[in-house]
Each structure stands twice: as C-alpha cells, then as structure tokens.
Amino acid sequence: MNAPLFNRPDTVALRSALPGGGYVTVTATRRPRAGRADVKCSAPGTPLVAARMALVARLARHTEARHDSRDQVVISIDRAPGAHERDWELAVVLADRAVRGLLALGEGVVANGWSDAWQLGRIDGHAVASLPEGALRGGPGYLHHLGALCGQPDVSASVSSARAWFPLHSGGINDALCWVEVSVYPLGEGETPGEEPIAAPGLDGVRQLALRQVLLGARHFDGEQLGRWRTTVRFGHDAFHGNSYELALVLADRLARGREFVPRGRIIASGCSGAWHAGLVDAVEGMEPKCALIEREAGGGDRVLLPRAWEGRLPPGLRDALRAKGASLACVERIGII
C-alpha cells in the first residue's frame, strides 16, 4: 500500500521535550541534492549527536513506500541533548518525513520517542513523562509505529531481518565475533527502489560502495531479478578493516530473503570473493587466529562456514572441538549449495 503524498514544504520545525525541562527544536530543510549526501545533520558542538541523527533518519526511511533521491534534507537541532537522551529521535524522523511530503504536521508539534529498530518503523517508547496535551508520545499504547500517523498498517511484519557473525581479529583483547544484520523490505509491483536500494547507514562511502557490490554480485548469482528489495545493513561494530565480513554479509542477506537454511544457532563465517556473481568463495588472511577465535566463541547449534582453500590447513582439533560443543563446520567454495 502506498502512503499518501502531501505538500512538500521547504522547512519543517518540531520540538521535543527534555527530561530536565525545556525543549529542543529540530528543523528539517529540503534543497536540491546536486550530488551531495541524501541527509546532512548538525548539532551544536556534538558531532556524535549529529551522526546519530543521520543514522536515525536513514534507518527510518527503510520502510517508506516512496523514495525521491533528488533532494537533500538538512536536519539541525538547536541545542545539544544529554549524552544518554534519545527522546528527540522521533522529532528527527517526523521532520524528515514531513519536509519530503510523506507526512502532514500542524504548527507547534511536540514529539518524544525513541527506537532501537527504526528500520522496522517501530517506536519503542518515550522517556519524558510530563508532556503537553496533544504531544506525540512514542511507544506501546501511544504511537507505536510510524504508519499510524497516516492510517497505514504496521509494516514491520513485512521486514525480514537476519544476522550472521564473522571473526573480528586485530590481535588484542577486543577480538570477538561481530554480527552483520541485513533487513529487507519487499518493493511492490511498479515501485522503484531509487538510486541506493542498498544502504548501510553509519559507514563511509567507500565501504558502502564495496558492500553494495558484494550484495549485488551475490544476488546476481541467485538468478533473480535485481532491485526487488530495499535493503539496510548494520554491523555490531563499525570500526573494522578488511573484507573477511563478506561471506557473513552474503549469508545474512540470503537468510533474510529466504534463500538459505536457518541454523539452530548462529551462522559464523569468514570469507571473501573476487567473483560473487559466480558464487565463488575465496580465502582471507588470518586463518589461525580467526579459527582460534571461532573455536572459543562458537556454541551449540552454530554453523561455521570457512573457505574451501583453508580445509587442508585447518588447526588440528578444530573440527572435534566444535563438534564437542554441538557446532558444525563446513568448508565451502560456493554459496547456494551450503
């Protein structure tokens, strides 16, 4: 179902109440994109808040029925909220939608709400209890999903999300398994995904481009028509290097799109490819420490997938150790036959 399209104002302003009293004002301005980023955010003296604003706005766009990439939306907040305050998130999302004509708001709207899963369109709650009459309160029993503002159904059931894990190794105490999550929202017949159907909010442009190339190549191997999904990718940790996440990313995407068998536990994978369009899986660096990390962190029901090129060089006892934990191990040279 398509959401109605309202008038597109040049500027929209909303307020959000602060826990200690007072308000912040969130302002969204629309201007021709002209090759710039789709969203630009600013917060006085707090770049982390500005980065969170942009992340929230982009994640909340995941389930929108329409996407017009010709505009840039500039979102600002007039004062810095506290480090742990998040009730302003709903105001950012609503301002972004209203300035693009997806939502009609009156004057002087106050909105308080936060979410840990904006890409589902869900609103988890609000923290400020003393809000003025008529304020938009997010959360169960109030405004619990964004579509309710336009009489639309809760589309979160249409969003399929899946995670896979990959070893994050740098040789320090912070070595761990990192998750990558892929969320897909099906596009209806006649809908176009826009110029960026695959987005990874929070990552730099170079890494986003590499990530898109991986997913588009692996989907090409499926033999299905491209551009059927609006896709959002998130990582448990953004500060990592290398390409050993690629196999986990591809498998999470296949799980989300119903192309892969679901394990009892987690999928843990390490591998890359120079030819995802052919479904090939190549080796990555750091086999020994990554295998040691996987052996330590794997649990019952986990499915471990490693490149076939590693099979003859796997650390002695790895298979037996994983089997003893109730996990399985396979070395693969292609996706699609796992």
Side-chain angles (χ1 to χ4, degrees), residues 43-77:
T46 52
L48 290 179
V49 171
R52 176 65 187 173
M53 291 168 63
L55 178 64
V56 165
R58 290 190 171 109
L59 287 176
R61 292 182 176 188
H62 179 73
T63 57
E64 291 178 357
R66 292 186 176 92
H67 176 67
D68 190 340
S69 61
R70 295 173 297 177
D71 293 329
Q72 181 188 61
V73 176
V74 181
I75 308 174
S76 63
I77 193 168

Side-chain angles (χ1 to χ4, degrees), residues 84-100:
H84 302 291
E85 296 172 8
R86 296 178 55 192
D87 258 17
W88 49 265
E89 291 183 0
L90 179 58
V92 167
V93 172
L94 298 184
D96 177 54
R97 292 199 169 193
V99 82
R100 292 181 292 122

Side-chain angles (χ1 to χ4, degrees), residues 191-249:
E191 292 184 68
T192 58
E195 66 174 30
E196 296 180 351
I198 298 172
L203 298 188
D204 60 59
V206 173
R207 186 164 291 175
Q208 288 207 38
L209 178 59
L211 180 148
R212 292 189 193 108
Q213 290 174 338
V214 168
L215 286 185
L216 290 175
R219 289 178 180 182
H220 177 83
F221 179 71
D222 287 349
E224 293 188 348
Q225 181 182 359
L226 297 179
R228 296 178 55 238
W229 310 92
R230 182 176 293 124
T231 305
T232 298
V233 179
R234 299 192 304 150
F235 287 89
H237 302 282
D238 293 337
F240 62 88
H241 303 283
N243 58 357
S244 63
Y245 70 89
E246 289 185 5
L247 180 56
L249 169 67

